[in-house]
Amino acid sequence: MTAAPASSGGTLRVAFAGTPEFAACALDAILQAGYEVPLVLTQPDRPSGRGMKLTPSAVKQLALARGIAVDQPEKLRTAEQRAALAACAPDVLVVAAYGLLLPPAVLALPRLGCINIHASLLPRWRGAAPIHRAIEAGDAETGVTIMQMDEGLDTGAMLLVRRTPILLADTTARLHDRLAALGGEAIVDALGALAAGTLRATPQPDEGVTYAAKIGRAEATIDWTRPAAAIERAVRAFDPFPGAVSVLRDSAIKCWAAQPVDGRGAPGTVLAVDDGGITVACGEGALRLLSLQRAGSKRLPAGEFLRGFAVCVGERFATASPA
């Protein structure tokens, strides 16, 4: 499929829908590339921080700083909720981590349809948490797929793909930032091809489909019966949210960095303690905990953590959070 060339001498009117920092990076790239953005859709302001103060999204903050009109409908089901988007008459709607499903009436509204920036190599990791799940699963690489949106969950045809390796030190936070930058580059390339009428769509293959379910706090509890390598990947996948957690002496302790090592013992048992780390037995091998945090404190290297919270060989981490 080849998209029809844009009107107005090849200049696209690009409406944008997105909410968090990942989306703001894409919006910034689109603006820097010189595209006209008549309207930004983003989620309504939400309570945030200790004071639970209503806080605008990263996308809203950027749009207002650039003098772009912002609309924040709770849903897009009614004509009234879609009125601002319809009135701006965009050629295309770019969507990135918006947080709302687009009904058919929205998908059909822009002349050239709606295109999405998805942080995985589709069809692997469709869904809400592709970055977390790719790290957790031990994938060797991931990337960004620019996708023509349809009514399914990340099922639309692929328009452009950009790849990046997943490094051994990558946390979700680090990989997120790299993919956000990659997504900004990719969407600018895709819009250029769309304006030129050279953007071609490739259907997603039926094989290799996986779903990246939303991350829940409960699954961040460390299961010490699992292999050390799998736990270490989960530690990186759950950084910065929700943080891999275990319990020692009724204290919830989050682990932010770890290293698989040789070792054997009952899962959860502390095998060794020194200023460099705490070695804990796993179902297969052992895990050396390098950075930890108690509730109400901050992340600390193991040596500093141990000066405020002594840990002894033979103690045992639990796999359930305190009530």
Side-chain angles (χ1 to χ4, degrees), residues 41-130:
L41 300 176
T42 191
Q43 287 278 300
D45 298 357
R46 305 294 189 197
S48 180
R50 291 188 176 182
M52 297 302 286
K53 180 181 178 182
L54 283 179
T55 304
S57 71
V59 164
K60 180 179 179 179
Q61 294 178 53
L62 175 60
L64 293 179
R66 301 294 181 87
I68 301 170
V70 174
D71 191 32
Q72 298 175 270
E74 287 282 355
K75 301 289 183 182
L76 289 166
R77 294 172 181 167
T78 68
E80 182 180 5
Q81 291 169 329
R82 300 189 294 269
L85 181 61
C88 80
D91 290 312
V92 62
L93 174 64
V94 172
V95 181
Y98 180 30
L100 284 182
L101 291 176
L102 302 188
V106 172
L107 296 174
L109 197 156
R111 187 174 65 87
L112 299 176
C114 303
I115 59 178
N116 177 250
I117 309 168
H118 186 74
S120 82
L121 300 175
L122 291 171
R124 186 160 177 79
W125 302 127
R126 295 173 179 172

Side-chain angles (χ1 to χ4, degrees), residues 49-228:
R50 291 188 176 182
M52 297 302 286
K53 180 181 178 182
L54 283 179
T55 304
S57 71
V59 164
K60 180 179 179 179
Q61 294 178 53
L62 175 60
L64 293 179
R66 301 294 181 87
I68 301 170
V70 174
D71 191 32
Q72 298 175 270
E74 287 282 355
K75 301 289 183 182
L76 289 166
R77 294 172 181 167
T78 68
E80 182 180 5
Q81 291 169 329
R82 300 189 294 269
L85 181 61
C88 80
D91 290 312
V92 62
L93 174 64
V94 172
V95 181
Y98 180 30
L100 284 182
L101 291 176
L102 302 188
V106 172
L107 296 174
L109 197 156
R111 187 174 65 87
L112 299 176
C114 303
I115 59 178
N116 177 250
I117 309 168
H118 186 74
S120 82
L121 300 175
L122 291 171
R124 186 160 177 79
W125 302 127
R126 295 173 179 172
I131 302 175
H132 303 75
R133 300 305 183 189
I135 293 175
E136 185 184 22
D139 290 1
E141 67 172 356
T142 186
V144 168
T145 302
I146 306 300
M147 174 191 66
Q148 187 80 47
M149 297 183 72
D150 61 18
E151 294 182 46
L153 177 62
D154 300 327
T155 56
M158 300 179 293
L159 303 172
L160 185 149
V161 176
R162 294 287 183 267
R163 298 173 179 269
T164 186
I166 298 180
L167 308 177
L168 292 177
D170 273 339
T171 62
T172 288
R174 291 175 183 172
L175 187 54
H176 166 280
D177 291 351
R178 196 158 76 247
L179 289 174
L182 192 62
E185 296 170 6
I187 193 59
V188 168
D189 289 345
L191 289 173
L194 183 63
T198 60
L199 191 62
R200 289 173 171 79
T202 302
Q204 292 186 37
D206 295 328
E207 300 78 24
V209 175
T210 57
Y211 289 91
K214 184 177 180 180
I215 302 296
R217 289 183 181 274
E219 65 183 297
T221 299
I222 296 173
D223 179 359
W224 296 103
T225 66
R226 300 178 68 203

Side-chain angles (χ1 to χ4, degrees), residues 217-222 243-248 250-253 318-323:
R217 289 183 181 274
E219 65 183 297
T221 299
I222 296 173
V245 65
S246 192
V247 176
L248 184 64
D250 295 325
S251 291
I253 297 172
T319 57
S321 300

Side-chain angles (χ1 to χ4, degrees), residues 254-274:
K254 289 189 175 183
C255 177
W256 295 111
Q259 178 184 19
V261 295
D262 292 334
R264 178 181 293 182
T269 301
V270 176
L271 302 178
V273 179
D274 58 53

